[in-house]
Amino acid sequence: NYGQPILYSSYAYDSYDAGPKQLNGMVEDASCPELPSPQEEYATNQWICQQHWKSTINMIKFHKTTSGLEITDKYKTRGIYGFAKAGKGYFIANVLRNKSIDFEVETTLPDGEYENLFQDGTYTIKNGILKATLAPKSAIALLVNN
């Protein structure tokens, strides 16, 4: 219950004082590929277009579906953070840059197969437990479909 979600678009820059690409003193319109996705590197002044990423659209769905539900079963250990949304969703992230982490957590989700909304892949919940390995700088977002 902290803050307000905000969706934005941004551009790549090569210095702290850089601004977006301009034409005749005006910021150029954002130009996004049809199906953008995160890249390792961007050209200077290139629009990044996060608002069109599959993961962004899916996380909006996660937020809308679980909005107002209690956060339960918080999980925190060095570099990995997770939480359940009252039997409807589960999110967990590895914030470390170069270390995969094995974990086993209670999710409050019904048993079954779930699609990861954050990035490709599926995960199985058995006896309410999610057991997996999270790659560096990755996340798992699961949502009950109904």
Side-chain angles (χ1 to χ4, degrees):
N1 297 333
Y2 180 79
Q4 178 177 348
I6 296 174
L7 181 61
Y8 67 94
S9 185
S10 64
Y11 58 90
Y13 55 90
D14 58 7
S15 72
Y16 287 111
D17 296 325
K21 190 174 183 180
Q22 296 190 14
L23 180 65
N24 299 324
M26 305 277 295
V27 174
E28 285 191 358
D29 289 339
S31 174
C32 299
E34 191 171 322
L35 295 171
S37 60
Q39 300 175 17
E40 287 295 319
E41 293 186 29
Y42 295 90
T44 299
N45 293 322
Q46 177 183 352
W47 285 100
I48 297 174
C49 304
Q50 300 96 318
Q51 75 276 16
H52 294 292
W53 293 351
K54 180 182 174 185
S55 58
T56 302
I57 292 165
N58 282 343
M59 291 312 294
I60 291 169
K61 177 182 176 182
F62 182 92
H63 173 76
K64 284 182 176 181
T65 304
T66 64
S67 183
L69 297 176
E70 182 182 357
I71 292 176
T72 61
D73 296 304
K74 294 177 188 175
Y75 182 82
K76 178 182 168 187
T77 188
R78 185 176 184 275
I80 188 168
Y81 306 95
F83 60 89
K85 289 290 278 192
K88 189 71 175 167
Y90 192 82
F91 179 82
I92 192 162
N94 176 355
V95 300
L96 299 176
R97 291 181 188 210
N98 55 11
K99 183 179 179 186
S100 293
I101 298 177
D102 298 324
F103 68 92
E104 185 174 316
V105 294
E106 289 195 37
T107 66
T108 74
L109 299 179
D111 289 356
E113 190 85 7
Y114 291 84
E115 178 185 348
N116 184 1
L117 299 176
F118 194 77
Q119 56 200 73
D120 291 335
T122 58
Y123 293 88
T124 301
I125 303 294
K126 185 174 180 182
N127 298 320
I129 303 290
L130 170 62
K131 184 177 181 179
T133 300
L134 260 177
K137 299 189 315 183
S138 69
I140 298 170
L142 308 177
L143 195 58
V144 174
N145 292 324
N146 60 4

Short mmCIF file of all heavy atoms in Angstrom, two decimals, residues 32-98:
data_model
loop_
_atom_site.label_atom_id
_atom_site.label_comp_id
_atom_site.label_asym_id
_atom_site.label_seq_id
_atom_site.Cartn_x
_atom_site.Cartn_y
_atom_site.Cartn_z
N CYS A 32 8.53 3.28 -31.65
CA CYS A 32 8.71 1.97 -31.03
C CYS A 32 8.52 0.86 -32.06
O CYS A 32 7.61 0.95 -32.89
CB CYS A 32 7.68 1.76 -29.92
SG CYS A 32 7.80 2.96 -28.59
N PRO A 33 9.35 -0.19 -31.97
CA PRO A 33 9.09 -1.34 -32.84
C PRO A 33 7.75 -1.96 -32.46
O PRO A 33 7.22 -1.73 -31.38
CB PRO A 33 10.24 -2.29 -32.54
CG PRO A 33 10.88 -1.79 -31.31
CD PRO A 33 10.48 -0.37 -31.11
N GLU A 34 7.18 -2.75 -33.37
CA GLU A 34 5.85 -3.32 -33.14
C GLU A 34 5.79 -4.16 -31.86
O GLU A 34 4.86 -4.06 -31.09
CB GLU A 34 5.43 -4.17 -34.34
CG GLU A 34 3.97 -4.57 -34.27
CD GLU A 34 3.50 -5.21 -35.55
OE1 GLU A 34 3.91 -4.77 -36.63
OE2 GLU A 34 2.71 -6.17 -35.45
N LEU A 35 6.78 -5.01 -31.64
CA LEU A 35 6.81 -5.85 -30.43
C LEU A 35 8.15 -5.66 -29.72
O LEU A 35 9.03 -6.52 -29.81
CB LEU A 35 6.60 -7.32 -30.80
CG LEU A 35 5.24 -7.66 -31.38
CD1 LEU A 35 5.21 -9.08 -31.90
CD2 LEU A 35 4.15 -7.45 -30.35
N PRO A 36 8.31 -4.55 -29.02
CA PRO A 36 9.60 -4.31 -28.37
C PRO A 36 9.81 -5.25 -27.18
O PRO A 36 8.86 -5.75 -26.59
CB PRO A 36 9.49 -2.86 -27.90
CG PRO A 36 8.03 -2.66 -27.68
CD PRO A 36 7.34 -3.51 -28.72
N SER A 37 11.04 -5.45 -26.84
CA SER A 37 11.40 -6.23 -25.65
C SER A 37 12.70 -5.66 -25.10
O SER A 37 13.41 -4.94 -25.80
CB SER A 37 11.55 -7.71 -26.00
OG SER A 37 12.56 -7.88 -26.96
N PRO A 38 13.02 -5.96 -23.86
CA PRO A 38 14.26 -5.43 -23.28
C PRO A 38 15.48 -5.85 -24.10
O PRO A 38 15.53 -6.96 -24.63
CB PRO A 38 14.30 -6.07 -21.89
CG PRO A 38 12.90 -6.47 -21.60
CD PRO A 38 12.28 -6.79 -22.92
N GLN A 39 16.44 -4.97 -24.20
CA GLN A 39 17.68 -5.24 -24.92
C GLN A 39 18.85 -5.05 -23.97
O GLN A 39 18.74 -4.35 -22.96
CB GLN A 39 17.83 -4.29 -26.11
CG GLN A 39 16.72 -4.41 -27.11
CD GLN A 39 16.85 -3.35 -28.21
OE1 GLN A 39 17.89 -2.74 -28.40
NE2 GLN A 39 15.76 -3.13 -28.93
N GLU A 40 19.98 -5.65 -24.30
CA GLU A 40 21.19 -5.47 -23.49
C GLU A 40 21.72 -4.05 -23.61
O GLU A 40 22.21 -3.48 -22.66
CB GLU A 40 22.26 -6.47 -23.91
CG GLU A 40 21.98 -7.89 -23.48
CD GLU A 40 21.99 -8.07 -21.96
OE1 GLU A 40 22.86 -7.47 -21.28
OE2 GLU A 40 21.12 -8.80 -21.45
N GLU A 41 21.66 -3.48 -24.82
CA GLU A 41 22.16 -2.12 -25.04
C GLU A 41 21.23 -1.38 -25.98
O GLU A 41 20.55 -1.98 -26.82
CB GLU A 41 23.56 -2.17 -25.65
CG GLU A 41 24.61 -2.72 -24.71
CD GLU A 41 26.01 -2.63 -25.28
OE1 GLU A 41 26.27 -1.71 -26.08
OE2 GLU A 41 26.84 -3.46 -24.92
N TYR A 42 21.22 -0.06 -25.84
CA TYR A 42 20.43 0.80 -26.70
C TYR A 42 21.34 1.88 -27.28
O TYR A 42 22.29 2.31 -26.65
CB TYR A 42 19.30 1.48 -25.90
CG TYR A 42 18.29 0.51 -25.37
CD1 TYR A 42 18.44 -0.09 -24.13
CD2 TYR A 42 17.17 0.19 -26.12
CE1 TYR A 42 17.50 -0.99 -23.65
CE2 TYR A 42 16.22 -0.70 -25.66
CZ TYR A 42 16.39 -1.29 -24.42
OH TYR A 42 15.47 -2.18 -23.95
N ALA A 43 20.98 2.36 -28.47
CA ALA A 43 21.71 3.47 -29.08
C ALA A 43 21.34 4.76 -28.34
O ALA A 43 20.24 4.88 -27.81
CB ALA A 43 21.34 3.58 -30.55
N THR A 44 22.25 5.71 -28.32
CA THR A 44 21.97 7.00 -27.69
C THR A 44 20.72 7.61 -28.30
O THR A 44 20.56 7.62 -29.52
CB THR A 44 23.18 7.94 -27.85
OG1 THR A 44 24.31 7.34 -27.22
CG2 THR A 44 22.92 9.29 -27.21
N ASN A 45 19.83 8.10 -27.45
CA ASN A 45 18.57 8.73 -27.81
C ASN A 45 17.52 7.77 -28.36
O ASN A 45 16.45 8.19 -28.79
CB ASN A 45 18.76 9.88 -28.82
CG ASN A 45 19.52 11.03 -28.22
OD1 ASN A 45 19.32 11.37 -27.05
ND2 ASN A 45 20.40 11.62 -28.98
N GLN A 46 17.78 6.47 -28.33
CA GLN A 46 16.79 5.51 -28.79
C GLN A 46 15.67 5.38 -27.76
O GLN A 46 15.92 5.25 -26.56
CB GLN A 46 17.45 4.14 -28.99
CG GLN A 46 16.50 3.06 -29.41
CD GLN A 46 17.18 1.69 -29.53
OE1 GLN A 46 18.40 1.58 -29.45
NE2 GLN A 46 16.39 0.66 -29.73
N TRP A 47 14.42 5.43 -28.21
CA TRP A 47 13.29 5.22 -27.31
C TRP A 47 13.28 3.75 -26.87
O TRP A 47 13.47 2.85 -27.68
CB TRP A 47 11.97 5.58 -27.99
CG TRP A 47 11.79 7.06 -28.09
CD1 TRP A 47 12.00 7.82 -29.20
CD2 TRP A 47 11.40 7.96 -27.06
NE1 TRP A 47 11.77 9.14 -28.91
CE2 TRP A 47 11.39 9.25 -27.60
CE3 TRP A 47 11.05 7.80 -25.72
CZ2 TRP A 47 11.05 10.38 -26.86
CZ3 TRP A 47 10.71 8.91 -24.99
CH2 TRP A 47 10.71 10.20 -25.55
N ILE A 48 13.06 3.51 -25.58
CA ILE A 48 13.11 2.15 -25.04
C ILE A 48 11.74 1.48 -25.06
O ILE A 48 11.64 0.28 -25.23
CB ILE A 48 13.73 2.17 -23.62
CG1 ILE A 48 15.17 2.69 -23.75
CG2 ILE A 48 13.68 0.81 -22.97
CD1 ILE A 48 15.88 2.91 -22.43
N CYS A 49 10.69 2.22 -24.92
CA CYS A 49 9.31 1.75 -25.12
C CYS A 49 8.87 0.66 -24.13
O CYS A 49 8.19 -0.30 -24.51
CB CYS A 49 9.12 1.27 -26.56
SG CYS A 49 9.52 2.53 -27.79
N GLN A 50 9.21 0.81 -22.86
CA GLN A 50 8.82 -0.18 -21.86
C GLN A 50 7.32 -0.41 -21.79
O GLN A 50 6.87 -1.48 -21.41
CB GLN A 50 9.29 0.23 -20.44
CG GLN A 50 10.75 0.40 -20.28
CD GLN A 50 11.20 1.84 -20.42
OE1 GLN A 50 10.74 2.56 -21.30
NE2 GLN A 50 12.12 2.26 -19.60
N GLN A 51 6.53 0.59 -22.16
CA GLN A 51 5.08 0.47 -22.06
C GLN A 51 4.52 -0.59 -23.00
O GLN A 51 3.39 -1.03 -22.83
CB GLN A 51 4.40 1.83 -22.31
CG GLN A 51 4.36 2.28 -23.74
CD GLN A 51 5.62 2.99 -24.23
OE1 GLN A 51 6.69 2.92 -23.61
NE2 GLN A 51 5.50 3.69 -25.35
N HIS A 52 5.31 -1.04 -23.99
CA HIS A 52 4.85 -2.05 -24.93
C HIS A 52 5.43 -3.44 -24.66
O HIS A 52 5.07 -4.39 -25.34
CB HIS A 52 5.20 -1.65 -26.37
CG HIS A 52 4.48 -0.43 -26.83
ND1 HIS A 52 3.12 -0.40 -27.04
CD2 HIS A 52 4.92 0.82 -27.10
CE1 HIS A 52 2.76 0.80 -27.44
NE2 HIS A 52 3.84 1.57 -27.49
N TRP A 53 6.34 -3.55 -23.70
CA TRP A 53 6.94 -4.85 -23.41
C TRP A 53 5.87 -5.82 -22.91
O TRP A 53 4.98 -5.45 -22.14
CB TRP A 53 8.03 -4.75 -22.35
CG TRP A 53 9.26 -4.00 -22.75
CD1 TRP A 53 9.59 -3.54 -23.98
CD2 TRP A 53 10.32 -3.64 -21.88
NE1 TRP A 53 10.81 -2.90 -23.93
CE2 TRP A 53 11.29 -2.95 -22.65
CE3 TRP A 53 10.57 -3.83 -20.53
CZ2 TRP A 53 12.46 -2.45 -22.12
CZ3 TRP A 53 11.74 -3.32 -19.99
CH2 TRP A 53 12.67 -2.65 -20.78
N LYS A 54 5.98 -7.07 -23.31
CA LYS A 54 5.05 -8.10 -22.84
C LYS A 54 5.07 -8.17 -21.30
O LYS A 54 4.02 -8.27 -20.67
CB LYS A 54 5.45 -9.46 -23.43
CG LYS A 54 4.56 -10.60 -22.99
CD LYS A 54 5.03 -11.93 -23.58
CE LYS A 54 4.22 -13.08 -23.04
NZ LYS A 54 4.73 -14.37 -23.49
N SER A 55 6.26 -8.08 -20.71
CA SER A 55 6.35 -8.15 -19.24
C SER A 55 5.62 -6.98 -18.58
O SER A 55 4.97 -7.15 -17.55
CB SER A 55 7.81 -8.20 -18.79
OG SER A 55 8.51 -7.06 -19.26
N THR A 56 5.69 -5.79 -19.16
CA THR A 56 5.00 -4.63 -18.59
C THR A 56 3.49 -4.82 -18.67
O THR A 56 2.78 -4.62 -17.69
CB THR A 56 5.40 -3.34 -19.33
OG1 THR A 56 6.82 -3.17 -19.23
CG2 THR A 56 4.71 -2.13 -18.76
N ILE A 57 3.01 -5.23 -19.82
CA ILE A 57 1.57 -5.45 -20.00
C ILE A 57 1.08 -6.53 -19.04
O ILE A 57 0.03 -6.39 -18.41
CB ILE A 57 1.27 -5.79 -21.47
CG1 ILE A 57 1.55 -4.54 -22.34
CG2 ILE A 57 -0.17 -6.28 -21.64
CD1 ILE A 57 1.64 -4.81 -23.81
N ASN A 58 1.85 -7.61 -18.89
CA ASN A 58 1.46 -8.69 -17.97
C ASN A 58 1.50 -8.25 -16.51
O ASN A 58 0.68 -8.68 -15.71
CB ASN A 58 2.36 -9.91 -18.17
CG ASN A 58 1.98 -10.71 -19.39
OD1 ASN A 58 0.88 -10.57 -19.93
ND2 ASN A 58 2.88 -11.55 -19.85
N MET A 59 2.46 -7.38 -16.15
CA MET A 59 2.53 -6.92 -14.76
C MET A 59 1.38 -5.96 -14.45
O MET A 59 0.93 -5.88 -13.31
CB MET A 59 3.89 -6.31 -14.45
CG MET A 59 5.02 -7.35 -14.44
SD MET A 59 4.66 -8.85 -13.47
CE MET A 59 4.57 -8.19 -11.82
N ILE A 60 0.89 -5.24 -15.45
CA ILE A 60 -0.31 -4.42 -15.26
C ILE A 60 -1.49 -5.34 -14.97
O ILE A 60 -2.29 -5.08 -14.07
CB ILE A 60 -0.57 -3.52 -16.49
CG1 ILE A 60 0.51 -2.45 -16.59
CG2 ILE A 60 -1.97 -2.90 -16.42
CD1 ILE A 60 0.52 -1.68 -17.89
N LYS A 61 -1.57 -6.44 -15.72
CA LYS A 61 -2.62 -7.44 -15.47
C LYS A 61 -2.49 -8.00 -14.05
O LYS A 61 -3.49 -8.13 -13.33
CB LYS A 61 -2.51 -8.57 -16.49
CG LYS A 61 -3.49 -9.70 -16.29
CD LYS A 61 -3.27 -10.80 -17.32
CE LYS A 61 -4.19 -11.98 -17.07
NZ LYS A 61 -3.96 -13.06 -18.04
N PHE A 62 -1.26 -8.33 -13.62
CA PHE A 62 -1.02 -8.84 -12.27
C PHE A 62 -1.51 -7.82 -11.25
O PHE A 62 -2.22 -8.16 -10.30
CB PHE A 62 0.47 -9.12 -12.08
CG PHE A 62 0.83 -9.70 -10.74
CD1 PHE A 62 0.88 -11.08 -10.56
CD2 PHE A 62 1.13 -8.90 -9.66
CE1 PHE A 62 1.22 -11.62 -9.33
CE2 PHE A 62 1.47 -9.42 -8.43
CZ PHE A 62 1.51 -10.80 -8.27
N HIS A 63 -1.14 -6.56 -11.43
CA HIS A 63 -1.54 -5.50 -10.49
C HIS A 63 -3.05 -5.36 -10.43
O HIS A 63 -3.64 -5.29 -9.34
CB HIS A 63 -0.89 -4.17 -10.89
CG HIS A 63 -1.38 -3.02 -10.08
ND1 HIS A 63 -0.97 -2.82 -8.78
CD2 HIS A 63 -2.25 -2.04 -10.37
CE1 HIS A 63 -1.58 -1.75 -8.30
NE2 HIS A 63 -2.36 -1.26 -9.25
N LYS A 64 -3.70 -5.28 -11.59
CA LYS A 64 -5.15 -5.11 -11.62
C LYS A 64 -5.87 -6.29 -10.97
O LYS A 64 -6.84 -6.11 -10.24
CB LYS A 64 -5.64 -4.94 -13.06
CG LYS A 64 -5.36 -3.59 -13.64
CD LYS A 64 -5.92 -3.51 -15.06
CE LYS A 64 -5.74 -2.13 -15.64
NZ LYS A 64 -6.29 -2.04 -17.01
N THR A 65 -5.40 -7.50 -11.24
CA THR A 65 -6.05 -8.70 -10.73
C THR A 65 -5.88 -8.85 -9.22
O THR A 65 -6.77 -9.34 -8.53
CB THR A 65 -5.50 -9.95 -11.45
OG1 THR A 65 -5.68 -9.79 -12.85
CG2 THR A 65 -6.21 -11.21 -10.99
N THR A 66 -4.74 -8.42 -8.69
CA THR A 66 -4.46 -8.61 -7.26
C THR A 66 -4.64 -7.33 -6.44
O THR A 66 -4.44 -7.34 -5.22
CB THR A 66 -3.04 -9.15 -7.05
OG1 THR A 66 -2.09 -8.17 -7.50
CG2 THR A 66 -2.83 -10.47 -7.76
N SER A 67 -5.02 -6.24 -7.09
CA SER A 67 -5.18 -4.96 -6.40
C SER A 67 -6.17 -5.09 -5.24
O SER A 67 -7.23 -5.69 -5.37
CB SER A 67 -5.68 -3.90 -7.38
OG SER A 67 -5.78 -2.65 -6.74
N GLY A 68 -5.78 -4.56 -4.11
CA GLY A 68 -6.64 -4.58 -2.93
C GLY A 68 -6.51 -5.84 -2.09
O GLY A 68 -7.01 -5.89 -0.97
N LEU A 69 -5.84 -6.86 -2.61
CA LEU A 69 -5.66 -8.09 -1.84
C LEU A 69 -4.47 -7.92 -0.88
O LEU A 69 -3.50 -7.24 -1.19
CB LEU A 69 -5.40 -9.28 -2.76
CG LEU A 69 -6.53 -9.64 -3.72
CD1 LEU A 69 -6.10 -10.78 -4.63
CD2 LEU A 69 -7.78 -10.02 -2.96
N GLU A 70 -4.57 -8.57 0.25
CA GLU A 70 -3.53 -8.49 1.25
C GLU A 70 -2.22 -9.14 0.76
O GLU A 70 -2.24 -10.17 0.09
CB GLU A 70 -3.99 -9.21 2.52
CG GLU A 70 -3.01 -9.17 3.66
CD GLU A 70 -3.50 -9.93 4.88
OE1 GLU A 70 -4.63 -10.44 4.86
OE2 GLU A 70 -2.73 -10.00 5.85
N ILE A 71 -1.12 -8.50 1.08
CA ILE A 71 0.19 -9.10 0.82
C ILE A 71 0.48 -10.05 1.97
O ILE A 71 0.43 -9.66 3.13
CB ILE A 71 1.30 -8.03 0.72
CG1 ILE A 71 1.09 -7.18 -0.53
CG2 ILE A 71 2.68 -8.68 0.70
CD1 ILE A 71 2.05 -6.04 -0.67
N THR A 72 0.75 -11.31 1.62
CA THR A 72 1.02 -12.33 2.65
C THR A 72 2.30 -13.08 2.30
O THR A 72 2.83 -12.94 1.20
CB THR A 72 -0.15 -13.33 2.74
OG1 THR A 72 -0.29 -13.98 1.48
CG2 THR A 72 -1.45 -12.64 3.10
N ASP A 73 2.77 -13.86 3.19
CA ASP A 73 3.92 -14.73 2.98
C ASP A 73 5.09 -14.02 2.31
O ASP A 73 5.57 -14.43 1.26
CB ASP A 73 3.52 -15.98 2.16
CG ASP A 73 2.52 -16.83 2.91
OD1 ASP A 73 2.84 -17.22 4.05
OD2 ASP A 73 1.44 -17.08 2.37
N LYS A 74 5.53 -12.94 2.93
CA LYS A 74 6.68 -12.22 2.40
C LYS A 74 7.92 -13.11 2.52
O LYS A 74 8.10 -13.81 3.51
CB LYS A 74 6.91 -10.93 3.17
CG LYS A 74 5.80 -9.93 2.99
CD LYS A 74 6.05 -8.70 3.83
CE LYS A 74 4.85 -7.78 3.81
NZ LYS A 74 5.03 -6.64 4.72
N TYR A 75 8.75 -13.07 1.49
CA TYR A 75 9.98 -13.86 1.48
C TYR A 75 11.14 -12.92 1.21
O TYR A 75 11.09 -12.11 0.29
CB TYR A 75 9.91 -14.93 0.39
CG TYR A 75 11.13 -15.81 0.34
CD1 TYR A 75 11.26 -16.89 1.20
CD2 TYR A 75 12.16 -15.57 -0.57
CE1 TYR A 75 12.37 -17.71 1.15
CE2 TYR A 75 13.27 -16.38 -0.62
CZ TYR A 75 13.38 -17.45 0.24
OH TYR A 75 14.49 -18.26 0.21
N LYS A 76 12.17 -13.02 2.06
CA LYS A 76 13.32 -12.15 1.89
C LYS A 76 14.57 -12.87 2.36
O LYS A 76 14.63 -13.38 3.48
CB LYS A 76 13.13 -10.88 2.72
CG LYS A 76 14.29 -9.93 2.67
CD LYS A 76 14.03 -8.72 3.58
CE LYS A 76 15.28 -7.93 3.76
NZ LYS A 76 15.11 -6.86 4.75
N THR A 77 15.51 -12.96 1.46
CA THR A 77 16.83 -13.47 1.78
C THR A 77 17.79 -12.68 0.90
O THR A 77 17.35 -11.96 0.00
CB THR A 77 16.93 -14.99 1.58
OG1 THR A 77 18.17 -15.46 2.09
CG2 THR A 77 16.80 -15.39 0.14
N ARG A 78 19.06 -12.80 1.10
CA ARG A 78 20.01 -11.97 0.36
C ARG A 78 19.77 -12.05 -1.15
O ARG A 78 19.95 -13.08 -1.78
CB ARG A 78 21.45 -12.38 0.66
CG ARG A 78 22.45 -11.47 0.00
CD ARG A 78 23.87 -11.81 0.37
NE ARG A 78 24.78 -10.84 -0.20
CZ ARG A 78 25.26 -10.92 -1.43
NH1 ARG A 78 24.92 -11.91 -2.21
NH2 ARG A 78 26.08 -10.00 -1.88
N GLY A 79 19.32 -10.94 -1.72
CA GLY A 79 19.16 -10.83 -3.16
C GLY A 79 17.86 -11.32 -3.74
O GLY A 79 17.61 -11.16 -4.93
N ILE A 80 17.01 -11.92 -2.93
CA ILE A 80 15.74 -12.44 -3.45
C ILE A 80 14.59 -12.00 -2.55
O ILE A 80 14.69 -12.07 -1.33
CB ILE A 80 15.80 -13.99 -3.61
CG1 ILE A 80 14.57 -14.51 -4.33
CG2 ILE A 80 16.00 -14.67 -2.31
CD1 ILE A 80 14.70 -15.96 -4.76
N TYR A 81 13.55 -11.48 -3.20
CA TYR A 81 12.41 -10.94 -2.47
C TYR A 81 11.13 -11.42 -3.13
O TYR A 81 11.01 -11.38 -4.36
CB TYR A 81 12.45 -9.40 -2.50
CG TYR A 81 13.76 -8.86 -2.01
CD1 TYR A 81 14.77 -8.53 -2.90
CD2 TYR A 81 13.99 -8.71 -0.65
CE1 TYR A 81 15.99 -8.06 -2.46
CE2 TYR A 81 15.22 -8.24 -0.20
CZ TYR A 81 16.21 -7.91 -1.10
OH TYR A 81 17.41 -7.45 -0.66
N GLY A 82 10.16 -11.84 -2.32
CA GLY A 82 8.91 -12.33 -2.87
C GLY A 82 7.75 -12.05 -1.94
O GLY A 82 7.92 -11.73 -0.77
N PHE A 83 6.54 -12.18 -2.50
CA PHE A 83 5.33 -12.02 -1.70
C PHE A 83 4.15 -12.68 -2.41
O PHE A 83 4.14 -12.79 -3.63
CB PHE A 83 5.01 -10.55 -1.43
CG PHE A 83 4.78 -9.74 -2.68
CD1 PHE A 83 3.50 -9.63 -3.23
CD2 PHE A 83 5.83 -9.08 -3.30
CE1 PHE A 83 3.29 -8.90 -4.39
CE2 PHE A 83 5.63 -8.34 -4.46
CZ PHE A 83 4.35 -8.25 -5.00
N ALA A 84 3.18 -13.08 -1.61
CA ALA A 84 1.93 -13.63 -2.13
C ALA A 84 0.85 -12.57 -2.05
O ALA A 84 0.91 -11.68 -1.19
CB ALA A 84 1.51 -14.86 -1.32
N LYS A 85 -0.12 -12.66 -2.94
CA LYS A 85 -1.29 -11.79 -2.90
C LYS A 85 -2.52 -12.65 -2.65
O LYS A 85 -3.24 -13.05 -3.56
CB LYS A 85 -1.44 -11.02 -4.21
CG LYS A 85 -0.39 -9.94 -4.42
CD LYS A 85 -0.56 -8.75 -3.49
CE LYS A 85 -1.59 -7.83 -4.02
NZ LYS A 85 -1.68 -6.52 -3.41
N ALA A 86 -2.71 -12.99 -1.36
CA ALA A 86 -3.90 -13.67 -0.84
C ALA A 86 -4.51 -14.73 -1.75
O ALA A 86 -5.67 -14.69 -2.10
CB ALA A 86 -4.96 -12.64 -0.46
N GLY A 87 -3.71 -15.72 -2.15
CA GLY A 87 -4.21 -16.85 -2.91
C GLY A 87 -4.50 -16.57 -4.37
O GLY A 87 -4.99 -17.44 -5.08
N LYS A 88 -4.18 -15.38 -4.86
CA LYS A 88 -4.48 -15.01 -6.24
C LYS A 88 -3.23 -14.83 -7.10
O LYS A 88 -3.24 -15.08 -8.30
CB LYS A 88 -5.29 -13.71 -6.25
CG LYS A 88 -5.85 -13.34 -7.58
CD LYS A 88 -6.98 -14.25 -7.99
CE LYS A 88 -7.58 -13.77 -9.29
NZ LYS A 88 -8.46 -14.74 -9.89
N GLY A 89 -2.12 -14.41 -6.49
CA GLY A 89 -0.90 -14.17 -7.25
C GLY A 89 0.34 -14.34 -6.39
O GLY A 89 0.27 -14.30 -5.16
N TYR A 90 1.47 -14.55 -7.06
CA TYR A 90 2.75 -14.63 -6.35
C TYR A 90 3.82 -13.99 -7.22
O TYR A 90 3.86 -14.20 -8.44
CB TYR A 90 3.15 -16.08 -6.03
CG TYR A 90 4.30 -16.10 -5.06
CD1 TYR A 90 4.07 -15.95 -3.70
CD2 TYR A 90 5.61 -16.18 -5.50
CE1 TYR A 90 5.13 -15.90 -2.80
CE2 TYR A 90 6.67 -16.13 -4.60
CZ TYR A 90 6.42 -15.98 -3.26
OH TYR A 90 7.46 -15.90 -2.37
N PHE A 91 4.68 -13.19 -6.58
CA PHE A 91 5.79 -12.52 -7.28
C PHE A 91 7.07 -12.74 -6.49
O PHE A 91 7.08 -12.62 -5.27
CB PHE A 91 5.52 -11.02 -7.39
CG PHE A 91 6.63 -10.29 -8.08
CD1 PHE A 91 6.71 -10.27 -9.47
CD2 PHE A 91 7.62 -9.66 -7.36
CE1 PHE A 91 7.75 -9.61 -10.11
CE2 PHE A 91 8.66 -8.99 -7.99
CZ PHE A 91 8.73 -8.97 -9.37
N ILE A 92 8.16 -13.03 -7.21
CA ILE A 92 9.46 -13.18 -6.57
C ILE A 92 10.53 -12.73 -7.56
O ILE A 92 10.41 -12.96 -8.76
CB ILE A 92 9.70 -14.63 -6.08
CG1 ILE A 92 10.93 -14.70 -5.18
CG2 ILE A 92 9.76 -15.61 -7.23
CD1 ILE A 92 11.00 -15.95 -4.32
N ALA A 93 11.56 -12.02 -7.06
CA ALA A 93 12.60 -11.48 -7.93
C ALA A 93 13.98 -11.72 -7.35
O ALA A 93 14.18 -11.69 -6.13
CB ALA A 93 12.39 -9.98 -8.13
N ASN A 94 14.94 -11.94 -8.23
CA ASN A 94 16.35 -12.03 -7.89
C ASN A 94 16.98 -10.73 -8.36
O ASN A 94 17.07 -10.48 -9.56
CB ASN A 94 17.01 -13.23 -8.57
CG ASN A 94 18.51 -13.31 -8.31
OD1 ASN A 94 19.10 -12.44 -7.68
ND2 ASN A 94 19.13 -14.36 -8.81
N VAL A 95 17.42 -9.88 -7.44
CA VAL A 95 17.98 -8.58 -7.81
C VAL A 95 19.50 -8.61 -7.97
O VAL A 95 20.10 -7.59 -8.31
CB VAL A 95 17.58 -7.49 -6.79
CG1 VAL A 95 16.06 -7.35 -6.73
CG2 VAL A 95 18.15 -7.77 -5.41
N LEU A 96 20.11 -9.76 -7.74
CA LEU A 96 21.56 -9.86 -7.90
C LEU A 96 21.95 -9.83 -9.37
O LEU A 96 21.24 -10.33 -10.22
CB LEU A 96 22.08 -11.14 -7.24
CG LEU A 96 21.85 -11.24 -5.73
CD1 LEU A 96 22.33 -12.59 -5.21
CD2 LEU A 96 22.53 -10.10 -4.99
N ARG A 97 23.11 -9.25 -9.65
CA ARG A 97 23.55 -9.08 -11.04
C ARG A 97 24.19 -10.32 -11.65
O ARG A 97 24.19 -10.47 -12.87
CB ARG A 97 24.57 -7.94 -11.13
CG ARG A 97 23.97 -6.61 -10.89
CD ARG A 97 25.03 -5.55 -11.01
NE ARG A 97 24.48 -4.29 -10.58
CZ ARG A 97 24.86 -3.14 -11.05
NH1 ARG A 97 25.81 -3.09 -11.95
NH2 ARG A 97 24.30 -2.04 -10.62
N ASN A 98 24.76 -11.19 -10.82
CA ASN A 98 25.52 -12.29 -11.41
C ASN A 98 25.43 -13.61 -10.64
O ASN A 98 26.34 -14.41 -10.73
CB ASN A 98 26.99 -11.88 -11.57
CG ASN A 98 27.58 -11.42 -10.24
OD1 ASN A 98 26.98 -11.60 -9.20
ND2 ASN A 98 28.75 -10.82 -10.29
#
